[in-house]
Every structure is written in C-alpha cells, then in structure tokens.
Amino acid sequence: MSSIPIEYYLILSAFMFIVGVTGVLIRRNAIVVFMCIELMLNSANLALVTFSSYIGNPIGQVFVFFVMTVAAAEAAVGLAIIIAIFRNKLTVNIDEINIFKW
Amino acid sequence: MINYIYLAIILPLAGFLINGLFGRKIKSELIIGLIGSLTVGFSFIISLLAFVETISLPVNQRSNVVELFTWLSVAGLNIKFGYLVDQLSLTMSLIVTGVGFLIHVYSIGYMHGDKGFWKFFAYLNLFIFAMMNLVLGDNFVVLFLGWEGVGLCSYLLIGFWYDKKFEKSTTADAAKKAFIVNRIGDFGFLLGMFLIYYTFDSLNFNEVFSKAQTLSISEATYSFIALFLFIGATGKSAQIPLYVWLPDAMAGPTPVSALIHAATMVTAGVYMVSRASILFASAPVVMLIVAIIGVFTALFAATIGLVQNDIKKILAYSTISQLGYMFLAAGVGAFSASIFHVMTHAFFKALLFLGAGSVIHSMHEEQNIQNYGGLKKYMPKTYLTFLIAALAISGFPGLSGFFSKDEILWYSFINGGFVLWLVGAFTAMLTAFYIFRLFSLTFLGQERFDHHKIHPHESPSVMTIPLIILAVLSVIGGYVGIPEVFSGENGNLFESWLAPIYEPAERLLLMHSETYSHTLEIILMFVSVVLALSAIYFAIHVYTKNRTIAENLSNNFKKLYNLLLNKYYVDEIYDAAIVNPIKIGSEKVLWKFTDAFIIDGIVNGVARIIGLVSGFIRKIQTGVAQFYALVIVAGIALILFWVILSIN
C-alpha cells in the first residue's frame, strides 16, 4: 500500500465512475446500462476501501459489504424488471421503453 | 295535573314517532288513526284536568310555571325549557287539542285509502306537538320553537299531495309559498325577540312582562318591539300584506285546512300579540296600526270572498277576514275578546272546513260551488251542521260567533271609534253574505252537477260525528262570554277568567270607560244583527231563486267584479314587484353574471393558465430514462462546480 500513492486509487475510482456514468447516459441496451450502474457502485466501493485503509479505520470496509449486498439485491430486482419488460415488449432498448411518458 | 302538563305535549310527539317510524309497517288505517287521535285526545284530557285544577285555585295562583330542564345557558343567556300554565295558555291548549282531536277523528274517514295515510297522521301529531309548545312555552324561545314547528308542519301538510295539480303548478308550490311568506314574518319576529332581549335582558315571559311594568323604557323601543312582533304575527296569521299564502294553502287535504287554517296555527299570531299584551299596550301607535291592519284585512278578504267559486278558497278568505277581526280586537285593547273570537272561530270555522271537506269528499273532489246545488237532501247531517256554522259565523243572535264578534265590534266602537266600528260592521254583513252565497249554491237550489258521474252521499259517521260535536260547540261556545248587558251581575265569564293576564295592559290603556251606556251597546248590536240577517236573506234569495240579480250585478260592475274575482291582483302585483325582480336579479345578475361569468371565470381561468403552462412543461417529460439521468448528472455537476467555486 505504501508504495502506491492514494491518488492512484482515487483516480482509478473516478475513472471507473465516469465510465459508469457515461455508459448509463449513452448506451441503449438496458442490461449494459445496468452493468454501468454496477461499475459506478464498484468505483464507490474502491474509494471506500481506499479511504478506510488510509485512515486506518475498518468502518469504510464494512460499508463496502453493505453496498455489495444492496447492489446484489438491486441487481436481482432490476434484472427481474428488465426480463418482465422484455417479455412484454420483446426489446431491452431503453429508447423504446418510454412508457412513463406523459 | 298542572305539573304533568308536559305529558300533553309529549303525547302527540310520541304519536308522531310511532306513526312516523312504524306507520308504514302498521298498515291498518284504524290503528294508525287511533294512535294519532288518541294521543291528541289524551292531551286534551290532560289539558282539561289542568284547567279544572287551575280554576279551583285562587285567582292570584292561577299562573304556574313548569320547568323541565335548562335548554341553553350561554354567557348571560339562560333559556329554560319551561311551560307556563295560566288562563291564556290553558284556553289555547284546550282549543288546540280539543278541536285538533275532532279533526284527527274526522281525518280517519277523510283520508281513508290514501297511500300516505300514516304519514298524514304523523304530520298532524307533529303539528299538535309544535302548536302545544307554541301556546304553552314560558319564554319567547320555546314559543319560537313551536312557531317554526307549526310552520314546518304546515309546509309538510299543505304539500302533502305534493305532485297534485294545483292552479298553475302543483301543491308543492303552494307549500313553498306558505313557507317562504312565513319566513318573512318570522324575520320580523326574530328581530322583535332580539330587541326584547337587548332591552329586558331576558326572554322569559314573566320576567319580561314584569320588567316592562317597572323599568322605564322609551316608547320608541316599545313601538319597535311591538311592530316587529306584529310583523311576525302578520305572517303567521295571514294579515295584510303577508296573507297571500293562506288561500293557496288550501291545496292541502281539507282536514289540514280545518286544523291549521281555522283552529290553530293561524291564530298563533293572535295568541302571541295577546300574550305580549303589555308590550303592545305600551306602544299605542302600534296598537292603532294593529287595529287598522286588522280591520282592513277583514274588509279586504271579505270582499274577495264575495265572488270566489272554489269552496275552500271562500273559506280561506273568510279565515283571513276573521283573523282580521281578532287583530282589530287586539288593536283596540280588547285582548280577551280577541281570544274569545279565536275560540268561537275555531269551532265554527273548523266546522265549515270539515263540512266543505265532507261535500268535496262526496262530490268526487269537485270544489267549484257553481257545480254543486241541492245537496241538502243527499247530505242532511252535513247540511244541518254547515248551516249552524254559517249562522254562527254570520253573527246570528244566540250562536257563538254572535257573542264574540259583537264584543269585538263593541270594543272597537268604544276604544277605536266610529270608523273602525263601521268598517267592522260592514265586514260582518259581507261575511254573512258570502257565507250564505256559498251555503245556497252548495246545499239549496237546483242541482247543477252531472248525475251520471256524481252520486252525492252522506259521509261516514266517523266524519259526521265530529261535525255534530263542532256544531254543538258552535251553538253553545259563545255562552261562556255573554256580554255584561245580558248577564248582569255575573259579568262576562270568559273575560273575567282571562282578566288577570291582561290586567297590566288594561291598566295602561285605561279601558272600560263607563261613559258608554248599555243602551248604546244594544243599539249597535241591533244594527249589526239587522245587517247580518238582511245579508243572509239577500244571499239566499239571490242564489236560490233569482240568480239573474247576481248576474246583472256582476255584468253592471264588470270591472269591480273582475277585480274581486282576481283578488285585487295582489298575487300578480307581488309577482311583478317582488318575485320577478328577484328571479330576474338572481338569474341575470347573480347567476349569469356574478356566478357564471366572474366566479367561474376566475376558477376556470386559473385552471386554464396552469393547464397551458404545464402543457409546455410536460414536453420535458419524455419518458426516456437516460434523459432524466443526464439531467441529474448535469445537476450534480453544476452543484459540484458551485461547491468547489465557493470553497475557494
């Protein structure tokens, strides 16, 4: 840990987050959008672990487990929704899924 | 029994509840009729026992208050539900329950087969309940409760056959008219009550009247109080200008007309004026107004009665006219004569109405007297009782109406002057004429109805027995009030019985001027009797033998005849002056302009603006999740940007 400065971790985390955000904003496939969300969550996890280790307080790492648990639950629900939508509309292209429109 | 007087009030209420709640299930007309009649009958017995007990007490203990419970107690206002059992209220409650009972019994026959039989009896009982509260209440608020109660019941009863055709529309309109016109009067009455409370700090009769004798209050205040109360009385008792509801109220079943428009409700105003005699006596100007309105109403209604053809309408105008007499009496300070006439009028007018009901019943709802004639031989009992009532109302010597009417005329002469007497006597002549016109056209002369369709028959005894009892009362009812000139030492029993009630008022008015001789009284009496008898003779002669006279008269005075036939166009004038402006004002100004244009315009305008704006805004809501995400990200970026900037 001491050999690699903390900035590297944070830059990697920021990069992963930006990739995730960009993916959410530009990709059309709902599953890919979903994976990008996971990417954003993981970038946050990385930042948590990094700071936890840096401060020497394990709480941040405990948080990571929570985030993973929530992410897993969310993935289960989200995938179920995507499958349900697919069954109804035979597509997962989110441009075509605008049923919340006025 | 005085302390149990509340039973007399509760019993009709119980009858109302039983018939009202279970009447539909009871089905049997006899049981419903018995419940309705007997509750009132028992009420009468209780009143009678209370009367007997009161009369056995010394004179100064004859006024008793029965307090039941405190009704309202707010700030300085303390109103108890109490009943005042004294000479006046007992007299009234005997009339109300006694005549009411007979009318209930009669109704069993008259309403036979009506689909609303149970409802009718429930309403009648509720009416008696309200009326008993009115006459027995010991303060203005309980009186007002009864006052409004009888108003409600008259609405329900007049509109009993609510979808039956009546003149231009239906009976429901007649009911509404009665209700609305009465509201106008009640407004005056309420103002009077407020002013009484403001002046005397109480609404209790005994307190108010004793304070009225001791406190020094300006005559103007008294005048306003009396005037407002009198406005209330003009509404309830159908005086000019608020009488227009009463003729229309004949739309209800005939027993209703007999009960409400002869014996009870319409006399409520007279009772109230009489009860508040001290307040009126303290306002001489208003007394004069009462007398003038009274005598003018009497004359006015009697002239209309001369030419009407609907049997009940004639009786309705006759009622208005007789009520005018009562107010004339009250106005000249002869309060006991006024109540005396209330009593005798209750007997003979109820009898006239019930007799008319009997005729209508037998003639298959035909009410035009031009289509009657010669009913004498078909309905002997109705004929005879009707004749007695007609003689009584005409002031035939020895019958009840003679005594009461003559007392009024005498007092209006000595206290009010020659003009009041003259108008009163002339009206008495008109009364005799129109009632015998009605009588002759109905019972005497040629039969003018279609024999193939109509088979006149005497009514069942459940209807004729009340007629007979009322006929007996119409004959003997006057003998409680034989004028001094005939009875000598004993004096007028009725007057001395009621005297303690009016003692304070009479002391103020300084009545009984002894300067007038009994000879004069007899001369006046003779004049009015001659007038009445000649009118009776003339009416019978014209309408049985020589109808051409009547036709010639109506042709020669075409304009006058039409004026009377159309009731002086008062309804039309009201329509033009009040009803239509209100209607037009409501429709054009209040509805079309204020409501539809301004208020709806504002409400709809606000909605439309919001709709327009949101119409633009909703375009943003595309339903594309990524666009939302972009907005969120951009927002976060902006916030971050701002945070970072502000750090430095």
Side-chain angles (χ1 to χ4, degrees):
Chain A
M1 271 307 270
S2 59
S3 57
I4 305 172
I6 189 170
E7 288 84 0
Y8 286 26
Y9 291 96
L10 294 182
I11 288 166
L12 176 63
S13 168
F15 176 71
M16 277 165 70
F17 193 83
I18 289 166
V19 171
V21 169
T22 316
V24 167
L25 291 181
I26 63 173
R27 292 305 296 263
R28 294 287 173 266
N29 188 313
I31 294 176
V32 176
V33 168
F34 213 69
M35 280 155 49
C36 289
I37 293 171
E38 297 297 315
L39 205 56
M40 286 153 73
L41 287 169
N42 277 324
S43 78
N45 281 344
L46 181 59
L48 278 170
V49 172
T50 306
F51 284 122
S52 166
S53 159
Y54 183 76
I55 299 167
N57 187 335
I59 288 178
Q61 299 187 28
V62 176
F63 268 118
V64 170
F65 286 105
F66 281 103
V67 174
M68 284 168 143
T69 315
V70 173
E74 186 203 314
V77 175
L79 278 172
I81 292 172
I82 288 170
I83 288 167
I85 290 172
F86 181 75
R87 281 193 180 157
N88 277 307
K89 304 199 74 157
L90 291 178
T91 176
V92 287
N93 185 336
I94 53 174
D95 274 355
E96 289 168 35
I97 308 167
N98 56 357
I99 47 174
F100 287 156
K101 198 177 164 184
W102 42 269
Chain B
M1 225 45 210
I2 292 170
N3 292 324
Y4 296 102
I5 195 72
Y6 58 87
L7 283 177
I9 296 148
I10 290 171
L11 273 171
L13 180 67
F16 159 69
L17 290 175
I18 295 169
N19 276 340
L21 294 174
F22 309 113
R24 197 194 290 270
K25 294 209 183 87
I26 293 173
K27 287 211 175 69
S28 159
E29 284 188 0
L30 188 68
I31 293 173
I32 293 170
L34 277 180
I35 292 170
S37 312
L38 287 182
T39 47
V40 180
F42 281 124
S43 221
F44 174 69
I45 290 169
I46 293 162
S47 307
L48 196 64
L49 292 175
F51 170 74
V52 171
E53 195 181 330
T54 303
I55 212 166
S56 66
L57 292 171
V59 174
N60 57 358
Q61 290 171 20
R62 282 183 182 170
S63 175
N64 296 288
V65 172
V66 184
E67 273 180 9
L68 294 187
F69 53 88
T70 302
W71 185 11
L72 292 175
S73 186
V74 186
L77 183 69
N78 193 0
I79 290 159
K80 294 210 167 66
F81 223 100
Y83 293 111
L84 177 63
V85 186
D86 65 1
Q87 294 93 328
L88 178 58
S89 64
L90 278 172
T91 310
M92 287 301 288
S93 58
L94 284 175
I95 298 170
V96 169
T97 51
V99 178
F101 171 67
L102 295 174
I103 293 170
H104 273 71
V105 173
Y106 175 92
S107 305
I108 298 177
Y110 191 84
M111 297 304 285
H112 171 68
D114 193 280
K115 65 180 190 314
F117 192 85
W118 58 277
K119 203 166 64 178
F120 185 76
F121 273 86
Y123 289 166
L124 279 190
N125 276 9
L126 184 65
F127 179 84
I128 297 281
F129 166 71
M131 193 66 202
M132 289 297 273
N133 272 308
L134 198 164
V135 297
L136 281 163
D138 86 326
N139 59 60
F140 279 100
V141 184
V142 176
L143 190 151
F144 191 69
L145 170 85
W147 188 273
E148 291 302 302
V150 291
L152 167 74
C153 293
S154 72
Y155 169 77
L156 293 172
L157 286 166
I158 293 166
F160 182 72
W161 291 317
Y162 47 86
D163 48 2
K164 191 179 159 191
K165 266 180 82 75
F166 178 71
E167 293 186 352
K168 285 173 218 153
S169 46
T170 59
T171 58
D173 287 292
K176 268 189 266 176
K177 189 170 176 183
F179 199 75
I180 292 165
V181 173
N182 265 302
R183 286 292 78 65
I184 300 168
D186 294 348
F187 182 64
F189 187 24
L190 267 179
L191 286 179
M193 270 168 61
F194 292 150
L195 200 53
I196 287 170
Y197 184 67
Y198 180 76
T199 316
F200 300 103
D201 206 28
S202 170
L203 284 167
N204 185 288
F205 287 150
N206 287 334
E207 281 178 43
V208 170
F209 300 151
S210 64
K211 280 182 184 169
Q213 290 169 61
T214 51
L215 294 180
S216 64
I217 292 155
S218 73
E219 199 186 304
T221 312
Y222 277 121
S223 300
F224 275 112
I225 291 175
L227 198 63
F228 284 138
L229 291 182
F230 182 60
I231 290 172
T234 55
K236 199 61 77 197
S237 293
Q239 296 296 291
I240 291 172
L242 296 179
Y243 73 90
V244 287
W245 64 271
L246 201 142
D248 281 24
M250 295 302 124
T254 312
V256 171
S257 310
L259 181 63
I260 298 182
H261 309 299
T264 57
M265 184 178 108
V266 292
T267 60
V270 183
Y271 164 76
M272 191 259 285
V273 171
S274 173
R275 173 60 81 194
S277 56
I278 176 73
L279 300 179
F280 279 85
S282 311
V285 182
V286 181
M287 289 286 273
L288 189 63
I289 294 174
V290 173
I292 291 171
I293 295 265
V295 77
F296 189 55
T297 307
L299 177 69
F300 186 76
T303 53
I304 297 175
L306 290 176
V307 297
Q308 298 300 308
N309 285 322
D310 184 311
I311 185 167
K312 284 174 78 181
K313 273 273 167 74
I314 299 174
L315 294 178
Y317 280 106
S318 162
T319 302
I320 297 172
S321 171
Q322 297 299 311
L323 288 166
Y325 268 110
M326 297 168 200
F327 279 107
L328 169 64
V332 297
F335 295 105
S336 72
S338 160
I339 294 296
F340 187 32
H341 198 57
V342 166
M343 184 181 85
T344 56
H345 177 254
F347 298 150
F348 59 68
K349 187 51 68 62
L351 177 51
L352 286 172
F353 268 119
L354 294 185
S358 180
V359 171
I360 294 168
H361 196 66
S362 125
M363 299 297 284
H364 305 282
E365 307 300 317
E366 174 62 62
Q367 297 195 11
N368 190 336
I369 52 173
Q370 302 292 355
N371 299 335
Y372 290 166
L375 293 180
K376 179 181 169 182
K377 67 176 178 193
Y378 300 101
M379 321 179 66
K381 286 178 191 157
T382 307
Y383 159 76
L384 199 65
T385 52
F386 202 94
L387 174 63
I388 290 169
L391 287 172
I393 195 177
S394 310
F396 191 81
L399 299 183
S400 61
F402 165 73
F403 293 112
S404 58
K405 195 180 281 182
D406 218 76
E407 202 179 330
I408 291 174
L409 289 176
W410 169 239
Y411 279 116
S412 53
F413 184 82
I414 57 170
N415 294 333
F418 180 70
V419 178
L420 286 183
W421 175 83
L422 186 71
V423 180
F426 180 67
T427 307
M429 191 186 79
L430 294 183
T431 308
F433 181 80
Y434 69 68
I435 211 77
F436 272 89
R437 169 175 175 267
L438 165 67
F439 176 77
S440 316
L441 285 176
T442 306
F443 292 102
L444 309 176
Q446 301 227 312
E447 297 172 9
R448 295 181 302 277
F449 48 87
D450 186 353
H451 277 277
H452 300 288
K453 286 188 191 143
I454 293 173
H455 309 283
H457 55 86
E458 183 59 282
S459 300
S461 41
V462 71
M463 287 165 73
T464 51
I465 289 172
L467 289 181
I468 292 164
I469 296 172
L470 281 171
V472 172
L473 288 172
S474 300
V475 175
I476 64 167
Y479 288 91
V480 294
I482 304 171
E484 269 176 33
V485 59
F486 295 133
S487 58
E489 291 292 303
N490 295 329
N492 186 330
L493 277 180
F494 195 82
E495 204 177 308
S496 50
W497 156 248
L498 284 177
I501 304 276
Y502 305 123
E503 199 269 322
E506 296 193 337
R507 203 162 0 122
L508 264 181
L509 293 168
L510 293 174
M511 298 223 325
H512 295 299
S513 352
E514 297 299 329
T515 47
Y516 291 98
S517 63
H518 280 164
T519 329
L520 184 65
E521 190 176 351
I522 289 175
I523 292 171
L524 291 182
M525 203 178 279
F526 183 74
V527 171
S528 58
V529 167
V530 168
L531 284 178
L533 290 181
S534 47
I536 292 172
Y537 172 77
F538 184 62
I540 293 179
H541 178 74
V542 167
Y543 288 99
T544 50
K545 300 198 181 95
N546 213 340
R547 294 210 56 189
T548 45
I549 296 178
E551 277 154 24
N552 286 341
L553 270 179
S554 62
N555 287 333
N556 291 342
F557 299 96
K558 197 88 199 163
K559 272 191 184 151
L560 183 66
Y561 178 77
N562 282 333
L563 186 68
L564 294 180
L565 192 64
N566 290 301
K567 308 145 200 164
Y568 294 104
Y569 298 99
V570 169
D571 274 325
E572 284 78 0
I573 293 168
Y574 274 8
D575 276 349
I578 299 171
V579 178
N580 283 337
I582 289 177
K583 269 188 185 165
I584 292 170
S586 317
E587 195 181 313
K588 294 269 156 64
V589 179
L590 293 179
W591 174 32
K592 294 249 167 85
F593 181 72
T594 312
D595 188 40
F597 184 70
I598 294 189
I599 295 180
D600 289 4
I602 291 172
V603 173
N604 293 340
V606 169
R608 195 166 299 151
I609 289 167
I610 290 172
L612 272 172
V613 172
S614 54
F616 287 115
I617 294 175
R618 72 176 180 178
K619 296 274 156 55
I620 297 167
Q621 203 163 7
T622 54
V624 179
Q626 280 180 317
F627 178 70
Y628 302 159
L630 181 67
V631 172
I632 293 168
V633 169
I636 292 168
L638 272 175
I639 290 167
L640 279 177
F641 192 63
W642 182 69
V643 167
I644 291 164
L645 272 185
S646 62
I647 287 171
N648 293 332

